[in-house]
Structure formats: structure tokens, C-alpha cells
Amino acid sequence: GATKRGGAPRAKAATAASAAVATAFDASDAARRLPKSFWTAAAGGGPPIKLDAKGCAVLPVQFVPFQLGEYSCTVWLSDATGGEWTYRLGVTAGLPLPIETVRFGCEMAQSQGRELALPYRNPQLEKAKAAVLDRSAKERELWSGVWGKEPIVRGQQQLMATSSSGAFSVPQKVDLFDRAGASRMASKAGSTAGTAPGTPAMSRSASLAELPPGANHLDLRFVPREAGNYSGEVLLVSPLDVRLYEVAGTASAPGIEAELVMSAPARHFVRQELPIVNRTDAEWTVTASLKGRGFSGPPSARVPAGETGHYPLEFAPDWTGTYDGSLVLTNGTTGDRYSYSLKGTGEEPLAEGHLVLECTARTPKALPVRVFNATADGAPCELRVDSDLLHATGPPTVAVPARGRGSGGGETTYELRVNAQMGGTIHGSVTFTAADGRFLWYTIEVRAAPPPAERTIEVSAPLRKVVAIEIPIANPSSSPLEIGVTIVGEALYGEASVSVPAGPGASSSYELFFSPLSAGTSSGYVAFVHEEVGEFWYELSLTGEAATPVDLPTLQCPIGSSVNQTFTITNPLGEPLSLKVALSDEAHWKLEPAGGATALALPPFGDLAVSLVYTASELDTPQPLTVSVSHPALGELLYAASGIGVEPVGAAPIAELASALGQPASGQIAFRNPFDRPLGLSIRLEQPQEGRFRLLRKSKHVKLEPNQLWQLPYAFQTDDIAEFSASIVLDGAWDGRPLSWTFPLKGVAVSRPLLRPITLRTKSRVPLSRELTLPLRGLELAEPERFSVRLDVAGDAAAAITSTLQVTPLTQLLAAPSLGVSLEWAPLRPARATGALVVTRASGGCWRYDVLLEAEDPEVEDVITIAAAINKPAAVSFTLENVVKADAPFSAFFTGDSPAKFAVSPAAGVLSGNVGTTFTVTYSPDSYGKPLRGSLVIDTEDVRWIYEVRGTLPVYNPPVARPPPSGDARLGPSGSHKR
């Protein structure tokens, strides 16, 4: 009981092909003609197996598969005493052995075809048939009756053909016809009709035996893409027939002919690696046949299997010119042949080397040069010597011995003497030329150190003073010279060259300037360089003398106060300098920037004004000071100052105190004991009109410690709209000398007649006009009096409000009980602030009227409508000009409640007051919905504009139906018409 299963891995393709063939041909009869694959004589009527006690026996089992796949069999063994047991056998039927090996050979990129004759009877299948017939007499009798003398597969066959290699192509199907079977059928038909041999019926049988074109043949074609060895298998499969053929092919590369062009300097070589690609499984040996002067290479090259090798070809010309040659590479394994035509160009030789000479200027030194025989024949000769190196000398020729075999020998040494006239690096070359034109040459680099200094010149100068040094220069040549000058050293200045008239014996002088900025010693040098006369230089020993202080005028300072004087510091350098200041007496002196400057910084090539402040602490005793101002690049500047304290004169600045009418106000004065020891003071208040000012300290005496700061409070109150004055006098003594300090006071009465502030409210760029009647409470006049009116506004909006609000009195003189004023306000941008209108009478005293000022957003300047489709932004541009006719920085933005679909550009910049600035508003909708609105604001420091922006979708126009053509073209109900 054998069972066929799925095919083995290698036979899966064959099994699939068999299944495809089975659908086209009825193989049921043939399948019934197949015997069992497994057979044993013991199960086929033969003698049973005998097993001795504790013995064993061999059961021969024959396996003859007729189809691909996996087979299994169960063998049952039974004995009345021992019982039953089984063995399970499994066998995989794979592809048969190849019937034949078919070989091909052609060049790559070509093809070769062969027609393989296929026998109708598969010899391997017939061999399996014979094995079945030999099993036993019973099997022979059974299967001889089934098969007879006919083959297992009868009639026309169709085999499925496949190739395991893409280099071999086969048709998908092959037809097989049984020529002998057809003849037999024809003969049998003739015999039945009773015809004799040679009759027309026999002719018909002969025609039946003829085969159609291409039958019983397999068309094989070898199509290699690259050179190499190819192998594969061709499988022919039908339901009951499997045939395997080996195929092998060799593809050779076509003969390659190419030209190689190579170039190299004379006496040098260049190498060209010629690639050889071996994609086969065998190692290649490639032989080379090389001809031509100047070309060289190995006689052969080995290329391992599956790798890329190279043939190294070298070209080494012995001199300039054109060289010809040839190279033939032959692959002994594949027979491939590669031919190259060689063209070589010998170029001028490269320098034999780069010679470096270390020397000192104006000191001769020899440079040895290796020279060899460069002639074509190598005979002894003399070489001409040429050099473009400055200040180099030597013999005009050099003799060289004969050159030996190859390139050995024929060398000598040539001595080139170099006497560089200036320090630095000099480049040149030396060339040695033979009589036949061949030459060799070297590049030369001379590194010359400067010559020794002519002498050392010692120079000293005060800081920021200029000292001149004259250096004589002689001209040894007969032509005028322009000699270059190099100056190295701090604070040294001079021309970059000096002219010397024609000599010999002529001379000139060079003037060098030294102006130190810092004290101390340093070194430098001045060098004079000319290509003809060489280089000479002088070493400089430089000394900056210590700075002497600049005397400043003596200051006289009233004791208890401070005085100052201003002086200027100059920057002679082209870079900004931050100064460091040191004072010898910081208790009584200080140095600070003057003129509104905030730091002690010198601008490049500029001046800085500084203020020296002195506060005296002694009477009639000088207090000296030394000021040091320094910077690393500028050096140190010294100033000498002196101050002396004198008795206090005059009065301190007036202290003004404003008080509401009838309400007290308080203030205080500050006084510091200027002395270095305690000071006793008595206090008194002097005022023309009693009762307005009073001291808020009961004691009239005070004692102050050295340098103690003391504050004295006082109060002011009045019921009159007027101005009052007083003085606080501090009396003391110093070494028996009476001293007095006077502090003048001024009290101003302020009336606030209104309980509520005056409110001024309008929209931006909408003018507001108001006339106000201001009550003048407490005003008592003997006669009309002049006055002034001002607006007092604090905060960030003060400048914008005061520049747009004008206050005009309606009268020129004050008269009780009120004052009329006119207000004209034209705000340009929103603002909100509080302030006061202040009316001040000429004799003193004022009235203060609180004001609330509020400018709201302006009216919408314009409405901008933008229609845009979904996800397709649209933009509108407009130009805005500044109303104040001046350029001003601006910012443009949408308010926070505006949709994010709106954008404006530019968002910041400068708004032109002449030609205006163009703004672009963009609307980018991303969904359907109701129209959107936003507020665009454009702001400058003085003006605000507001635009309303509306975003809509494009208007949709639905299609309109066209009216029918004139006349009734419709048919009646029956589709007919009357005549």
C-alpha cells in the first residue's frame, strides 16, 4: 500500500509542471498501468520469513518510483506466537540522473543553438519497467499482460521544459510522437482490409508515420551575457515521464582593441592598472606580450576566481618625445585576447630635488649640488650651468664622467656659492644642460637670517612727546635708489621708503620719530632693504621717560560746599579707550565725566571732558591731589591739583516748598559737618513776615560729629495766595573764627478750587474745543496783575498730550473772581492721563485745577473686504502716508479678538511721510462659515489708524437654464401630425 505525497524540494518545479500537463492530457489509463512502487517477495506469494530464536533476518524491499514525490509504505509482520509488528518505510523520489550532457561554446553577447533529438521511449523509464518485470514470475505475467510490448506511455506526449540557468533557453513544451507505433497501426489497418504490400493503403500508412516539423526534438539555445563558464540543467516533465539533461557552455570575450595614451616627465614613470574581471569559478592566468621602448610590465598576471585582477603597465621615458608600443593580453583559460596600442609622451623632466640653504645675509655660503650624466649615450661630457638665483655664483660648466650600464654612475658634485644680501626667503633654480639638449635641474630655497645690526641707537623721550632720530644712508651704486624701510617697535613712526641720489658716494638721511605713551624701556629696530644693495639695519633701545604731572589751577572752596573744575583728556589712538582713574585723596576729591557723559571712555582720536570736584575740610590749609588716568595702550597721564577751604560766602540754593491754601507743608535742609572734628551750631530762622515758616525742632543748638550728615525739618503754611521767603542760619565757630551757613527758603501757596477734575474726552483725530471758567479762590488784588498758565501732565502720554493740547487765556490780567481759558485738543492716538492746569500769579502763589484727559480709539479709517476661496489665500494692498509729514517707526497688528485667518505685512518698519508705505493684508480661510471681521491697527509714536477687515468667500453664481428655441418642436401624444 504505497502512497505518493508532495514532491521533494528540488522536484517541486517538476511536480507543478506535471500537474499542468495532467490537466491537458487524460493520464488515467497510464496511471492504471503503473505498478506499486514498493514490493517484497514475502508479500507477493513468496516464502515467509523465518526467524530463529533470538535471531534476525533481512527482508528485501524493492522501491521503483515512476513519478516524483515522497512515498511511504507500512510493512506488517505477524506470527501466531510472536504476534504482529510493523515497519514504516519513507522514500523521496528525486530527479533522475542526467541522460546526456550538452555542451556549447560562443562569444559573449552572442548565442548558439542546438537541436537535441529526443527518443520516444525514455531509457530510464524502460529500465524501471524491466525491474518490475524481474520481480517474480507472477509480476511478469501480470504486467506483461498490462503492458505487452508497448511502452508505458503511449500515443502523443507533451513534455513541459524548464531550464535552471538564464543563460540557456528552451521552449515551454515539447511534443513526442511514437513513429514505430504509428507504423504498426498503419500496417494493422492494411492487413485488416486484405491489401497486399505495396498497395495504396500501404502508402497511407507510410504517411501516418511521418512526424510534424520540430517533433521529437528539443531546441536548446545558449545566450551568455558575459564571458565565462556556464552550467545548468534542463528538465522535461510529463505525468509519467521525467528526463534531465545537463547543459554546459563557455562564453569567450571578443577580442578587445584599444589605445592607451600615457605621459610622464622624463626620468620618471607612471603606472596604469589594467583591470581584468574574472566572474568564473576557475582561476585565470593571463600572459602578456609587450613591445615598445619606455614601456614595461610583468610577463603574466594571475586572477583568482570571482575576483578582479590588474595588469600593471608602466611608462618611463628617458627623455622628451613620443613613444609607441603594443600590449597583447591573452587569457589561457578562456582564450580571450586583448590588444592595446600604446602611445607615450615624454614631458620635460621635473626638478631632481628641492635644495634648502640656511645662511646669514651678506655672509657667503657654499651649496653642494649632485650632478649626473644626463646625455643620451652616457659618454663623458661637460654640462653648462645656468641659475636664476640672486647673488649666486659658481663655475660656468661642470665635467661629469661616463654613465655606466643602466642609469648607474656618471655623478659628480657642483658647488654653488650663495651670498644673500638681505634676510628672508629667496627662491630660484639651477640647471645643468648637456650638448645634446638634455638637462637636469633643482629648485633652491635660501633662508637667509638678517645680517648683524650696524649699531645700537639709544633713544629716550618724555611721554607723549616726539623725538626725531636721523640715520645717514650712503649709495654705493651709480644709480638713484628707492630703499624700503621696515620699522618694528612701539611708538615708532617714519616713512615707508627713503630716496638716495645716484652715487657712488651720494648719501641721504632717514628721519625716524619716537613718541612713547607709557614709561619704561623697550627695544625695536629699523631695517633698510633694497634688492641691489641688500639689507642693513639698526637696533633701537627705546626709553619712555616717566610722566610729569600737569598742574591744574588751585581751587578755593567755601567750607561746607563743593567746587569743581573741568579739563580735557585727548586720545591719540584710533580705538576707544576705557580709562582707569586713581586719586591720591579720595576723601576730598572725585573725578567724574562732564557734559552729560556717563563713563570715563575716550572715543577714537577724540577728547573727553572730565570734572574734578573738591570738598574742603580745612580752613586756609591747602589739600593737594595727584590724579592718575591710565590705559595699557595710552599709558599713564598725571595731573596735580590743590584746593583750599575758605569761609562760607553767599547762600545755598533756594529750597522751594508748595503748600495747599490754609494747609501746612513740611520740608528739610541737609547739612554735613565739613570738618574732621566736632562742630557746635546754633539755629535761627529769619523771615520778613512772621508766622509763615517755623522750625520743627525745639532745641536751638546742635553738636555734629566729624563728617556727620544732619537734617533740620521746617514747616510752611499760609491763607494767602502769595509767595513768601525766609532763611535758616546755622552759626558756628572754627578755632575762634565765627562761621555762618545760610539756607534760603521759599514758600508758595497753592489753591485747588475744584473738588472734581475737569474731564476732557474725545476720539483720536477728532478735535475738541472747550472754554473753561476757573475760579480764583483767595485772590485779593489792589490792581490787575499778570499771570501765566501751564499744563502739568506726568506719565508716558505726557509728550503726546502736551504737543496736541493748547491752552489760551481769554484775558491778559488777573481779575477776581475767575479766569476764562480756551482749550484746543486734537489727539492723534489713544491716550489716558491725569494732570493739572496751573495758574501762577506774577507776585507768587498759584491755583491748580486737576484734569482727566482721555483720547479714545479713532474711527475706522476704511473697510477692507477680501474674498478668498478655501485654502487659497487672497491679499489686498494699500498705501498709508504719515499725517505728520515725517518718517516714523511703526508697528502693524490685528487686535486680539480678530480671527487668526488675517495677517498683515510688514508688521514693523518706518512709515514714510512723503511717499507713504504699502501694507498687504492677507485672508486665508480654511473652512466654510459666516464672513469674518477683524481690526487692523497701525501705530506710530504720535498717530494710530484702525481699519476694519472683512473676509468673505467668492460669490457663487448658479448656472441659468437657457430658454427653448423658438417654435414648438415637440410631438403630439401619438407622434403623428395631420395633413
Side-chain angles (χ1 to χ4, degrees), residues 328-418:
V328 178
L329 299 178
T330 304
N331 190 334
T333 304
T334 63
D336 299 340
R337 180 184 177 89
Y338 309 92
S339 299
Y340 298 92
S341 174
L342 306 180
K343 301 290 183 181
T345 301
E347 301 173 344
E348 288 195 353
L350 300 176
E352 300 300 324
H354 181 69
L355 307 178
V356 178
L357 178 65
E358 303 278 353
C359 64
T360 301
R362 307 221 302 268
T363 301
K365 189 172 184 180
L367 175 65
V369 182
R370 184 184 70 88
V371 183
F372 57 86
N373 192 328
T375 60
D377 55 8
C381 66
E382 282 193 350
L383 304 180
R384 187 181 77 249
V385 183
D386 299 289
S387 178
D388 59 359
L389 183 67
L390 289 175
H391 311 297
T393 59
T397 62
V398 58
V400 291
R403 186 175 67 244
R405 290 176 177 265
S407 58
E411 293 186 359
T412 188
T413 300
Y414 177 83
E415 187 176 272
L416 183 69
R417 296 191 65 81
V418 180

Side-chain angles (χ1 to χ4, degrees), residues 547-552 567 581-586 589 591 612 623-629 636-642:
T548 57
V550 177
D551 292 328
L552 299 177
F567 60 93
V581 177
L583 303 178
S584 61
D585 181 3
E586 295 183 352
W589 300 84
L591 188 70
L612 185 62
Q623 294 180 309
L625 171 71
T626 299
V627 181
S628 171
V629 179
E636 184 181 30
L637 305 177
L638 297 179
Y639 298 88
S642 179

Side-chain angles (χ1 to χ4, degrees), residues 428-445:
S429 64
V430 59
T431 305
F432 304 90
T433 307
D436 60 0
R438 297 194 175 190
F439 62 89
L440 64 128
W441 65 289
Y442 292 87
T443 59
I444 300 176
E445 178 182 351

Side-chain angles (χ1 to χ4, degrees), residues 868-871 901 923 925-932 952-954 956:
I870 300 299
N871 295 324
K901 309 306 188 290
Y923 175 49
D926 56 5
S927 61
Y928 291 97
K930 64 180 181 179
L932 302 180
T952 64
L953 296 175
Y956 172 72

